[in-house]
Amino acid sequence: MDEKRLKIQQKFYALLLCSVVFMMVYNYSAWYISKLETVPSFVFNFEKFIPFIPWTIIPYMTSGIFFCLVFFLCKSKEQLKVLTQRMLFVTIIAGICFLLFPLQFSIPKPETENFVFEYSFQFLKTFDSPFNQAPSLHIAYAFIFWTVIRTLKKGRTFLMIWLILLGVSTLTTYQHHFIDIVTGALLAHISFILFPYQKKDFQYRNFHVANFYFFSGWILILAALLLKSEFAGLILIWISVMSFAIGYHYQKNDIYFLKDKNGNIHWIKKIFYFPYLLMYQIFWRFLRKNKIPFVPVSRIYISSKPNQETLKNFKIDKDTFVYDLSPEIEEISILKEQSAYYFRPILDIGKFDVEKTHFLITEISRTYRHLPKNGKILIHCTMGFTRSSVIGILVIKNILSLPLDEAITIMKASNKNMIIHPYLLDFLKKF
């Protein structure tokens, strides 16, 4: 009982701290801006088409309920700590933005006939400032609320829809302009990057990578909105949607979101993900290492994705077993046609799935033990830094029955370019 009471107290203290900081920052900035002679507004032309929907005042006002509730939904001290850090960060940074770049809402609200809605708007007018605009704390908080709510087992879908309504209501209640929404989302994702949850746990790696893609997406949307060129704006919107899609697939650990199980990329995906694929082609062409496959143990070769020049000096036939780990770039056709090709994707700088990796190591080890007389195994990723090295270490450990440290030493002696991030050390210890 004492332990339970302590946890509730910790949640209450975190709520109290964030509430006090919010009230101080929000009220002071509102008071300060209200004293200015002129306060500008930032409005896009398309905002005149946004309708005023009175009933959305209900989800809008529930932000305060979520603010109080979310602290008590935390399941661990770290989750509570990260939530508190993010809430304090966005509140303080938003307050600084309010003071440095004061803005106000400029579209008059229509009258509402419904008594409940009219009373709600009058209540809102008393407590909600028209000056604290960009970035929208309603939006920033909603994203942060979701990071806790998404861990719930029950009611998650309903609450997700409600949070979406809450976000939309910032526009349909005529409380915020569109610039406030985008900057609020940007601020939230900055907090996710600066204060990651389970930073050292390899199982959460994809979430950390996804946040960078989401952040990039919001940056691109902001840039598209601010550009005067419609064509350039549409290009940036396309790339931003692509960034959001990639972030989503990283969160889901969708290893086949680009290449299918045969290692091919559909032409529609080639068009949609063209900037992403082009980026990897440039990285691969100019930054890859281990262009020539090296041999950490007999008949096992490790490299970056090979090109035609590499294959001239590396005999390929049906006794060559190729394990392609890179889902972001297509294999050259000659290799797939002339070797025993297997596509076993792992997302770049993402997480390694323990179960799938165990299956892959078992598969490669079995292939190794049954290699034909002149057979060999080639394991490659795109750049030749991490994924191929990790799989190579585990294969060496398995086929030679070595301790992990010795397998790492063998790989390091052969691969001077190996990069094993700290989060991967815990993963390797699972084997």
Side-chain angles (χ1 to χ4, degrees):
M1 290 298 291
D2 290 339
E3 184 182 355
K4 184 177 180 180
R5 189 177 298 114
L6 177 63
K7 289 183 179 179
I8 292 175
Q9 288 175 345
Q10 289 175 332
K11 296 174 182 180
F12 176 77
Y13 290 148
L15 169 60
L16 182 62
L17 174 62
C18 292
S19 299
V20 170
V21 171
F22 166 76
M23 287 187 288
M24 291 174 61
V25 169
Y26 190 88
N27 291 328
Y28 174 77
S29 57
W31 171 83
Y32 174 83
I33 298 170
S34 68
K35 300 299 181 183
L36 299 178
E37 291 185 7
T38 57
V39 181
S41 296
F42 194 107
V43 189
F44 294 107
N45 291 331
F46 64 81
E47 292 188 55
K48 62 185 177 183
F49 299 108
I50 298 176
F52 177 73
I53 307 175
W55 66 263
T56 56
I57 188 64
I58 303 301
Y60 182 87
M61 293 184 67
T62 58
S63 180
I65 298 174
F66 278 105
F67 190 108
C68 297
L69 178 64
V70 72
F71 290 92
F72 296 95
L73 296 178
C74 291
K75 300 175 182 178
S76 67
K77 289 183 179 179
E78 184 182 1
Q79 191 177 32
L80 180 63
K81 176 185 174 182
V82 171
L83 171 65
T84 305
Q85 289 173 328
R86 291 171 174 177
M87 294 289 283
L88 291 174
F89 174 79
V90 300
T91 302
I92 293 170
I93 297 301
I96 294 172
C97 292
F98 296 155
L99 296 175
L100 294 179
F101 311 102
L103 294 171
Q104 66 174 324
F105 191 81
S106 59
I107 302 176
K109 287 185 179 64
E111 295 293 328
T112 56
E113 297 180 359
N114 186 286
F115 170 77
V116 175
F117 299 154
E118 178 62 27
Y119 178 81
S120 299
F121 277 106
Q122 290 299 324
F123 178 85
L124 191 64
K125 187 176 181 180
T126 304
F127 292 98
D128 201 4
S129 167
F131 299 113
N132 295 341
Q133 292 290 298
S136 166
L137 280 174
H138 261 73
I139 296 297
Y141 287 159
F143 275 105
I144 295 174
F145 296 157
W146 173 243
T147 63
V148 176
I149 290 170
R150 67 178 303 278
T151 64
L152 299 178
K153 294 182 179 179
K154 295 182 179 180
R156 183 173 59 180
T157 302
F158 171 77
L159 292 174
M160 178 188 69
I161 294 171
W162 193 266
L163 283 175
I164 292 172
L165 284 174
L166 191 159
V168 172
S169 71
T170 58
L171 296 172
T172 56
T173 56
Y174 286 10
Q175 286 295 123
H176 283 281
H177 289 300
F178 199 78
I179 191 71
D180 312 341
I181 311 306
V182 178
T183 51
L186 263 175
L187 181 57
H189 283 86
I190 292 173
S191 78
F192 299 158
I193 292 169
L194 293 180
F195 306 103
Y197 179 63
Q198 297 285 10
K199 181 179 181 180
K200 297 180 180 180
D201 190 337
F202 69 89
Q203 297 182 79
Y204 286 84
R205 177 68 181 179
N206 280 12
F207 289 94
H208 306 328
V209 177
N211 282 328
F212 281 93
Y213 281 109
F214 293 146
F215 175 76
S216 300
W218 289 112
I219 284 284
L220 291 166
I221 285 179
L222 182 61
L225 291 171
L226 296 177
L227 280 177
K228 293 183 179 180
S229 169
E230 290 186 6
F231 177 75
L234 288 174
I235 294 294
L236 290 178
I237 290 293
W238 163 36
I239 301 175
S240 71
V241 173
M242 182 198 72
S243 295
F244 288 130
I246 295 170
Y248 172 80
H249 289 301
Y250 260 84
Q251 279 195 340
K252 299 296 183 182
N253 195 34
D254 184 2
I255 55 179
Y256 295 106
F257 83 93
L258 268 176
K259 291 161 69 170
D260 61 25
K261 294 186 178 182
N262 296 315
N264 302 314
I265 303 178
H266 194 277
W267 66 269
I268 294 177
K269 291 183 178 181
K270 287 182 179 179
I271 295 173
F272 179 71
Y273 289 105
F274 175 75
Y276 182 71
L277 297 172
L278 177 62
M279 177 188 71
Y280 266 100
Q281 283 287 349
I282 293 170
F283 286 168
W284 174 75
R285 184 172 296 276
F286 296 106
L287 300 177
R288 75 185 188 277
K289 301 294 182 182
N290 302 323
K291 298 177 184 179
I292 300 174
F294 63 90
V295 190
V297 296
S298 175
R299 302 208 287 177
I300 290 184
Y301 294 77
I302 308 290
S303 75
S304 58
K305 190 186 90 69
N307 59 9
Q308 295 278 6
E309 188 67 28
T310 301
L311 296 180
K312 286 181 182 179
N313 303 312
F314 188 81
K315 184 181 177 182
I316 292 290
D317 55 33
K318 288 302 179 182
D319 289 337
T320 303
F321 295 81
V322 177
Y323 288 89
D324 175 10
L325 309 178
S326 52
E328 60 278 338
I329 191 167
E330 252 183 335
E331 195 79 271
I332 55 176
S333 57
I334 187 173
L335 191 147
K336 288 196 288 187
E337 293 167 1
Q338 297 183 9
S339 71
Y341 171 79
Y342 300 94
F343 177 45
R344 301 293 183 262
I346 301 168
L347 294 177
D348 191 19
I349 64 174
K351 81 169 187 176
F352 284 71
D353 183 273
V354 175
E355 185 177 342
K356 290 178 180 176
T357 302
H358 181 78
F359 178 84
L360 175 59
I361 302 307
T362 302
E363 179 185 4
I364 297 175
S365 300
R366 186 186 304 115
T367 301
Y368 181 81
R369 294 187 182 101
H370 295 88
L371 276 176
K373 182 177 179 181
N374 296 318
K376 54 190 174 183
I377 294 174
L378 173 63
I379 303 169
H380 80 79
C381 55
T382 300
M383 305 299 291
F385 293 126
T386 300
R387 289 171 287 181
S388 56
S389 297
V390 169
I391 298 303
I393 288 169
L394 294 176
V395 169
I396 292 168
K397 177 183 181 298
N398 197 37
I399 63 177
L400 299 182
S401 300
L402 294 175
L404 178 62
D405 291 344
E406 289 187 28
I408 293 175
T409 300
I410 291 174
M411 179 61 68
K412 191 178 294 183
S414 303
N415 184 8
K416 304 298 182 183
N417 302 302
M418 179 178 73
I419 298 176
I420 302 297
H421 301 284
Y423 76 92
L424 285 174
L425 293 176
D426 287 336
F427 167 77
L428 287 169
K429 291 175 183 176
K430 297 288 183 182
F431 297 83

